[in-house]
Amino acid sequence: DTAVSQTPKYLVTQMGNDKSIKCEQNLGHDTMYWYKQDSKKFLKIMFSYNNKELIINETVPNRFSPKSPDKAHLNLHINSLELGDSAVYFCASSQWGTGLAFFGQGTRLTVV
Amino acid sequence: RKEVEQDPGPFNVPEGATVAFNCTYSNSASQSFFWYRQDCRKEPKLLMSVYSSGNEDGRFTAQLNRASQYISLLIRDSKLSDSATYLCVVTHPNSGYALNFGKGTSLLVTP
């Protein structure tokens, strides 16, 4: 049983397209995150949701829109993709305040 | 200045060696501290939490010095399978307890 699963694992798309990445966790956690890992391998928080409520919205272009239909799901929709959006996007979940996070396998997004 | 700073390495050590990684953090309100491990092209995974009293998990020992805002990780008797990137992580209430990662320290253990 995969604790945090995200799909797709790989995504290759053209500039200007709109794409979504889905994430689901079966750990019963109340907090979910999206992280971006760029080519320099730095992991940076993008969004954090606690009990479906947006807690953190870092300096991310508004082309990125997260959606949390319930506590177990946090999806990421990206409009008008740009070359600079190419990165690995990780979904994660934890129980609020613990810092003990479990990560999905990542989605490797390549914009051409 | 980055919130969490680490020496990126790489650290190349022979099997059986002892290696130490250091990390500093800038926000004195940071509340929780961790080491995560990331293998090449994989997701980060929790290695261990870090406490002021120090804690040990087998060959791994972590230490926190709140006064100096400094975190360390010691790996004894290195194994080939320890080769990975080690990520220093802090959380604080002001950022909703999100994990703030350092850039990571790369370790390569050689035969």
Side-chain angles (χ1 to χ4, degrees), chain B residues 25-74:
Chain B
Y25 60 96
S26 60
N27 190 329
S28 59
S30 296
Q31 190 166 82
S32 301
F33 309 88
F34 308 90
W35 285 100
Y36 275 69
R37 169 189 169 136
Q38 187 173 25
D39 292 283
C40 187
R41 300 179 78 86
K42 298 283 189 180
E43 72 274 22
K45 291 183 179 177
L46 177 67
L47 180 66
M48 59 197 303
S49 302
V50 189
Y51 306 112
S52 297
S53 53
N55 49 305
E56 190 173 306
D57 182 1
R59 298 180 293 107
F60 298 83
T61 301
Q63 191 75 50
L64 165 66
N65 184 321
R66 280 190 183 269
S68 304
Q69 295 181 199
Y70 172 93
I71 304 164
S72 65
L73 176 68
L74 183 76

Side-chain angles (χ1 to χ4, degrees), chain A residues 14-61:
Chain A
Q14 290 188 323
M15 279 176 56
N17 283 351
D18 302 340
K19 291 293 177 185
S20 291
I21 308 172
K22 295 188 174 182
C23 180
E24 176 181 3
Q25 55 97 2
N26 62 7
L27 296 167
H29 288 160
D30 59 5
T31 306
M32 296 185 73
Y33 312 88
W34 278 109
Y35 282 84
K36 178 180 180 180
Q37 189 166 41
D38 58 27
S39 57
K40 295 183 180 177
K41 308 298 183 190
F42 181 52
L43 270 159
K44 188 169 169 50
I45 182 73
M46 299 175 69
F47 302 103
S48 167
Y49 271 74
N50 176 249
N51 286 319
K52 301 194 305 174
E53 183 184 334
L54 180 65
I55 301 297
I56 295 174
N57 183 354
E58 287 294 317
T59 308
V60 174

